[in-house]
Amino acid sequence: QQPVQSPQAVILREGEDAVINCSSSKALYSVHWYRQKHGEAPVFLMILLKGGEQKGHEKISASFNEKKQQSSLYLTASQLSYSGTYFCGTAPGSARQLTFGSGTQLTVLP
Amino acid sequence: AAGVIQSPRHLIKEKRETATLKCYPIPRHDTVYWYQQGPGQDPQFLISFYEKMQSDKGSIPDRFSAQQFSDYHSELNMSSLELGDSALYFCASSLEVGTTPGELFFGEGSRLTVL
């Protein structure tokens, strides 16, 4: 079942902060975050594992609330290069099937 | 560093024709995934392979089939193509991390256009 992301789109200026949310109706072992620029492949940002372990990007942080089956991605002091579509991915119960949310389109303006 | 290689990058086919996409994963990665992404859509999981065996199936049409070969490359075969099959097809590979997928490394994608 596909995770739900919010907001669908966000526009901000360089230096501003943004939060993208992801929630699932199923119990999660992990949440993954990817960014995709137009016409390009998704690029890995972060994995958050059950138990609190986090692996990924240095300048982007995230949280994972296992009980609520929710994750949030925090983009602070946004740069122009942060523009793109952000997808969360979940894999409830399988190590080999990552299902992406519908995406959040982030636009950073100068 | 070696990346995931997909071919062809672009493919144009007529309705009812067949198409084959190829994927060469990163060496020593044990899992291969196929995704379909329509315009403005999220990547839809099609199928995955673990150590050359089919693992999970997602929204893959019956007209599509896939396999992974002894050299670890994978092929996605699509028959009786329909207009709605026009999309960007991504292959990704990863190393399994316990009970969750590891970081997925995506290829640049194969853009299929069905006329």
Side-chain angles (χ1 to χ4, degrees):
Chain A
Q1 193 156 356
Q2 185 177 39
V4 177
Q5 284 185 238
S6 64
Q8 286 187 315
V10 59
I11 299 174
L12 57 159
R13 299 243 174 230
E14 252 187 309
E16 292 182 339
D17 302 338
V19 180
I20 300 172
N21 301 302
C22 174
S23 64
S24 174
S25 59
K26 291 190 173 182
L28 300 175
Y29 295 97
S30 65
V31 176
H32 300 232
W33 287 96
Y34 286 78
R35 177 172 62 209
Q36 184 179 30
K37 295 184 180 286
H38 183 69
E40 299 181 5
V43 174
F44 169 80
L45 293 175
M46 187 166 301
I47 293 176
L48 299 111
L49 302 173
K50 195 173 182 178
E53 187 178 359
Q54 178 176 310
K55 302 180 181 181
H57 207 279
E58 292 179 355
K59 297 185 179 180
I60 296 174
S61 63
S63 64
F64 179 23
N65 187 322
E66 299 163 27
K67 287 186 178 179
K68 292 187 176 181
Q69 293 149 206
Q70 294 175 345
S71 176
S72 294
L73 187 71
Y74 304 98
L75 303 159
T76 57
S78 296
Q79 306 170 16
L80 294 175
S81 61
Y82 285 9
S83 291
T85 301
Y86 288 76
F87 293 101
C88 69
T90 59
S94 172
R96 303 165 205 137
Q97 178 171 347
L98 189 65
T99 300
F100 289 103
S102 54
T104 296
Q105 187 170 354
L106 181 82
T107 304
V108 180
L109 301 175
Chain B
V4 175
I5 306 296
Q6 290 188 246
S7 66
R9 293 293 311 282
H10 301 274
L11 193 59
I12 299 175
K13 290 287 184 178
E14 301 277 342
K15 280 173 55 178
R16 292 179 289 278
E17 286 190 322
T18 61
T20 298
L21 307 180
K22 294 185 178 182
C23 169
Y24 294 84
I26 293 173
R28 289 181 294 282
H29 277 191
D30 52 20
T31 308
V32 168
Y33 308 77
W34 284 98
Y35 285 88
Q36 177 193 58
Q37 187 173 31
Q41 303 295 315
D42 54 280
Q44 291 286 316
F45 172 76
L46 294 179
I47 195 167
S48 64
F49 293 86
Y50 175 70
E51 285 294 341
K52 297 172 280 186
M53 299 290 289
Q54 183 181 303
S55 177
D56 293 69
K57 288 182 78 171
S59 51
I60 185 168
D62 292 339
R63 300 177 287 108
F64 292 12
S65 64
Q67 55 184 326
Q68 189 174 21
F69 296 86
S70 57
D71 65 352
Y72 286 87
H73 94 273
S74 178
E75 294 184 3
L76 179 67
N77 299 292
M78 300 174 284
S79 61
S80 302
L81 287 170
E82 302 173 357
L83 296 178
D85 296 329
S86 295
L88 196 53
Y89 290 82
F90 287 107
C91 173
S93 71
S94 74
L95 272 174
E96 188 172 298
V97 181
T99 58
T100 190
E103 174 184 349
L104 267 64
F105 293 81
F106 284 83
E108 293 184 300
S110 294
R111 183 172 296 282
L112 172 66
T113 302
V114 181
L115 301 176

